[in-house]
Structures are given as C-alpha cells and as structure tokens.
Amino acid sequence: MHKSISGSSLGPDGLDLTQSFFKSILNAAPPSPTKRHNKISVIGAGNVGMAIAQTILTQDLVDELVLVDAIPDKLRGEMLDLQHAAAFLPRTKIQASTDYSVTMGSDLCIVTAGARQINDESRLNLLHRNVNLFKKIIPPLARYSPHCVLLIVSNPVDVLTYIAWKLSGFPSNRVIGSGTNLDSSRFRFLIADHLDVNAQDVQAYIVGEHGDSSVALWSSISVGGVPVLSFLEKQQIAYEKEMLENIHKEVINGAYEVISLKGYTSWAIGYSVANLARTIMRNQRKIHPVSVLAKGFYGIDGGEVFISLPAQLGRGGVLGVTNIHMTEEEMKRLKDSATTILELQNQLGI
Ligand SMILES: NC(=O)C1=CN([C@@H]2O[C@H](COP(=O)(O)OP(=O)(O)OC[C@H]3O[C@@H](n4cnc5c(N)ncnc54)[C@H](O)[C@@H]3O)[C@@H](O)[C@H]2O)C=CC1
Ligand SMILES: CC(=O)C(=O)O
C-alpha cells in the first residue's frame, strides 16, 4: 500500500481502498447531486497560511481544504500534522500539493505566500518581491477556479490586491484584500481594554491602507449602540485628541511590536481571515473593513486603488460598500492614504 500526496490509501493495483471498503454503503446511498462541495485553497503554508488553515478547520466551513506551497517537504509535513488532528475536528478533506491543479474548483482562494517584514521593515518594502511572486501564483489560481473569490493577505496587501485583480481578470467584486479587518480588531481590543467592555460590543473601523497611513474613524465608534465620543463627554470624562491618536498609534505599531518580539504575526490574522472566510462561504452579508476597489467612493477618484472601506461580503464577494459617516478630517486622511497607495502602484507601471 502507498499514499498519494493527498494521503488517501491506494492498494497495490492503484485501487482506492476507501472506495472498496464502503462500496455497499456508497451504492445504497449515492450522494445527492445537488449537494454543494465547499472548497477553500490556502496558498502559502507559512506562519500566516497555517494559522488561517487551522482556524478554518475548527469552524466546519468546508468539505475540502487545500494547501499550496513551493516547498514540498514542509507542505507535506503541515498537511500530515493537520490530518492527524482529524479525530478532534469537523470532517474536512485536507489536500496539499506544489501543483496548482489541486486547487481546481475552489470557492475561495486565500493567498498568503510571499516575503514578510523583518523587524522595523515597512510592509511597502516587500512590494517588488511579492509582485514577482504573484505573477506566478494568480494566473494558475484564476485558471483552475475561474468562479472563485480571491482573498489576498500577503503584504503590502492593498497593492497586491490590485495586482491580483489585474492578473486574474476577475470582476473587482471577486477580489478582496484582508486589509484593515485585522487593524480594526486591534483597535476594538484597545478600546475595549480602555473601557473595560467586551471587544465584540465595540463597533469601530480602521479604514484606508493596512499599514502606516491607516485612518481611525473615531466619529462613528459606538459601544453597545452608544456613540463613544459623546458618551465620554456625557460622563464628563476628559479625553484629549492626543489620547485618541495614541490608541491609533498603538494599532499601527501593533504589528511591528509583535514582529520584533516573535518574528512574525500569525494568530490574529488567522482569526481575522477565517472570520472573512466564514462570512463569504456562509453568505452571511456581514460588514467588514476590507480592501476593495475604492474608486468613486468617499471622493476617491484619482485612479484604480484598493484600500479598506466597510464592505458587505457574501458568497459573491463584495456585495456593497457602506455609506459610513466620516468627518472632513477623516475623509481627508482617507484620501491621503489612497494617494500613498496609488503613488506606489504607479511606480510599478502595471
Ligand atoms: N494582511 C495582513 O494583515 C498580514 C499579512 N501578512 C503577510 O503574509 C505573508 C506571509 O507571512 P508569513 O506566513 O509569516 O511568511 P512565511 O515566510 O512564514 O510564509 C510564506 C510562505 O510562502 C511560501 N511561498 C513562497 N513562494 C511561493 C510560491 N511561489 N508558491 C507558493 N508558496 C510560496 C513559502 O514557502 C512560505 O511557506 C507576508 O507577506 C506577510 O507580510 C502577515 C500578517 C498579517
Ligand atoms: C504583518 C502584518 O501586516 C500585520 O500583522 O498587521
């Protein structure tokens, strides 16, 4: 007996032992032709890809989870390690290959492959290395899963989402960057910590670039339906603009701090992306701050740029962009953030 790369058991004549073992049951009850086979592929089995994969597995989201990486031994090791947890997880077929044909028919392809930051390096510094990688990754993904939603995580995520859109030829609603879904979670954690409430009760968005020029939408923050700024005023709790700026700075520095301490970030992005995958696969129509084609929204009209805005997501990808209230200053910062990304994009000449 030997194992295929996906780990299923083959007999000496290449007979699939699983098939013959269950023959009578399969004959008695053929699977319903209408049953949908849900499939997610994760490209890049590094720190981030594996955190996403393991969080997705715990959520019972898919029938099949596929891993793709360029390093065969590491890839097979990661696949086996996850398969060995089968007794504790919802049933999911886990496959892995360096060949993109394994991703065929995916509903959602999540791209995490690529270089990551070292110490104080900016995300934007990774651009040229990761653009070259995307030229190899996106075309086969689009070919094997022409109807999938592409969810980009590799950095700099906003520009790479634009590149993925161009390389895939997909409509813009099916190309999304994980964007500031993670920054907004860091923001909600810090606000919750300050007010001693549950982060899930904090509605707060960071928009714009996933990175140094991100914008905190203070004017629309609410906790349990109570607008935070007017709540603080009513309680006669003095707050300084500087204090708010400091919380935002903590959000921006969050990734740098974790990277300087443990070398990379993984758990929060794993939960953040699995949360997006859940909304998309279950067609939940929830609103997430993610990187979308922003041209035409909030006065952003200087070119085709992907930056994070609160967007409603579902099975078809982006269903709409919400009309959230912004002050003039917030709007100006958002436009400046879009300009930062556009200038970088223009240097690429794509
Ligand atoms: N958008 C976000 O919020 C976040 C983005 N990231 C980004 O995610 C990316 C991955 O980070 P880590 O997982 O920590 O890095 P890592 O170095 O642990 O993993 C990268 C993986 O990509 C693989 N890879 C390289 N070339 C490939 C190719 N042609 N095809 C398939 N796989 C290939 C490598 O073999 C490696 O396993 C980085 O760009 C990082 O900056 C990280 C955290 C948060
Ligand atoms: C690395 C990165 O982009 C983050 O953790 O926010």
Side-chain angles (χ1 to χ4, degrees):
M1 191 198 301
H2 67 275
K3 298 260 181 192
S4 71
I5 185 139
S6 65
S8 70
S9 299
L10 302 177
D13 309 324
L15 183 76
D16 187 324
L17 295 182
T18 315
Q19 282 274 337
S20 39
F21 188 70
F22 280 116
K23 209 167 198 143
S24 58
I25 297 172
L26 287 173
N27 286 344
S32 155
T34 55
K35 160 97 174 66
R36 211 193 146 91
H37 183 82
N38 290 312
K39 177 168 174 176
I40 295 182
S41 293
V42 177
I43 317 305
N47 306 305
V48 172
M50 293 316 297
I52 293 169
Q54 87 89 26
T55 314
I56 285 174
L57 283 176
T58 60
Q59 297 199 8
D60 200 6
L61 276 187
V62 282
D63 302 295
E64 188 175 350
L65 181 76
V66 164
L67 302 173
V68 176
D69 199 281
I71 305 173
D73 283 357
K74 176 178 158 53
L75 183 62
R76 184 163 166 76
E78 292 291 10
M79 178 192 74
L80 290 173
D81 207 6
L82 285 181
Q83 287 176 337
H84 296 169
F88 315 111
L89 287 170
R91 187 163 187 275
T92 308
K93 181 177 180 182
I94 303 170
Q95 300 222 72
S97 178
T98 53
D99 184 333
Y100 281 82
S101 62
V102 74
T103 64
M104 193 186 306
S106 297
D107 300 287
L108 177 64
C109 292
I110 303 172
V111 183
T112 77
R116 63 181 145 88
Q117 301 147 268
I118 299 165
N119 291 326
D120 286 339
E121 193 177 14
S122 156
R123 294 172 181 87
L124 301 182
N125 223 24
L126 305 169
L127 184 62
H128 292 281
R129 278 170 282 169
N130 287 346
V131 166
N132 286 333
L133 210 65
F134 267 43
K135 288 180 183 164
K136 293 183 205 147
I137 292 173
I138 302 298
L141 278 183
R143 206 168 49 246
Y144 282 114
S145 302
H147 305 295
C148 76
V149 172
L150 276 175
L151 178 52
I152 309 304
V153 183
S154 313
N155 273 320
V157 67
D158 301 294
V159 189
L160 289 179
T161 306
Y162 166 81
I163 300 289
W165 175 51
K166 287 286 171 194
L167 291 171
S168 65
F170 282 7
S172 60
N173 64 300
R174 285 201 283 119
V175 187
I176 305 168
S178 63
T180 56
N181 201 48
L182 171 57
D183 316 53
S184 300
S185 170
R186 288 180 176 134
F187 195 35
R188 291 166 69 188
F189 158 71
L190 290 168
I191 293 165
D193 207 36
H194 265 70
L195 299 176
D196 197 17
V197 296
N198 189 317
Q200 294 198 10
D201 285 332
V202 178
Q203 270 226 313
Y205 293 117
I206 300 273
V207 294
E209 180 199 354
H210 167 62
D212 302 348
S213 73
S214 71
V215 183
L217 297 185
W218 282 103
S219 66
S220 58
I221 293 175
S222 65
V223 175
V226 181
V228 164
L229 294 189
S230 51
F231 164 80
L232 292 175
E233 271 159 17
K234 265 190 213 143
Q235 299 298 310
Q236 296 183 330
I237 298 171
Y239 70 92
E240 304 282 338
K241 202 170 175 198
E242 198 183 329
M243 180 192 101
L244 306 185
E245 295 287 347
N246 282 342
I247 293 182
H248 184 207
K249 273 188 200 146
E250 261 192 83
V251 172
I252 293 175
N253 291 334
Y256 292 112
E257 189 180 2
V258 176
I259 290 168
S260 76
L261 292 167
K262 65 173 243 189
Y264 54 89
T265 62
S266 57
W267 301 125
I269 184 65
Y271 280 103
S272 165
V273 173
N275 181 240
L276 297 176
R278 188 181 184 83
T279 297
I280 294 166
M281 296 301 291
R282 296 252 167 98
N283 198 25
Q284 286 181 326
R285 308 180 78 87
K286 283 175 68 179
I287 294 163
H288 297 269
V290 285
S291 200
V292 295
L293 184 60
K295 194 176 176 185
F297 297 114
Y298 300 101
I300 297 166
D301 45 21
E304 288 170 330
V305 66
F306 280 71
I307 52 168
S308 285
L309 297 172
Q312 190 189 42
L313 304 183
R315 193 86 192 190
V318 181
L319 307 178
V321 171
T322 63
N323 193 8
I324 196 169
H325 166 78
M326 288 186 207
T327 62
E328 274 186 24
E329 188 183 344
E330 288 166 346
M331 198 105 88
K332 182 185 175 309
R333 287 186 182 198
L334 179 65
K335 279 192 201 171
D336 290 348
S337 186
T339 305
T340 305
I341 301 296
L342 261 174
E343 281 171 359
L344 200 71
Q345 238 167 249
N346 290 341
Q347 287 171 23
L348 290 171
I350 292 182

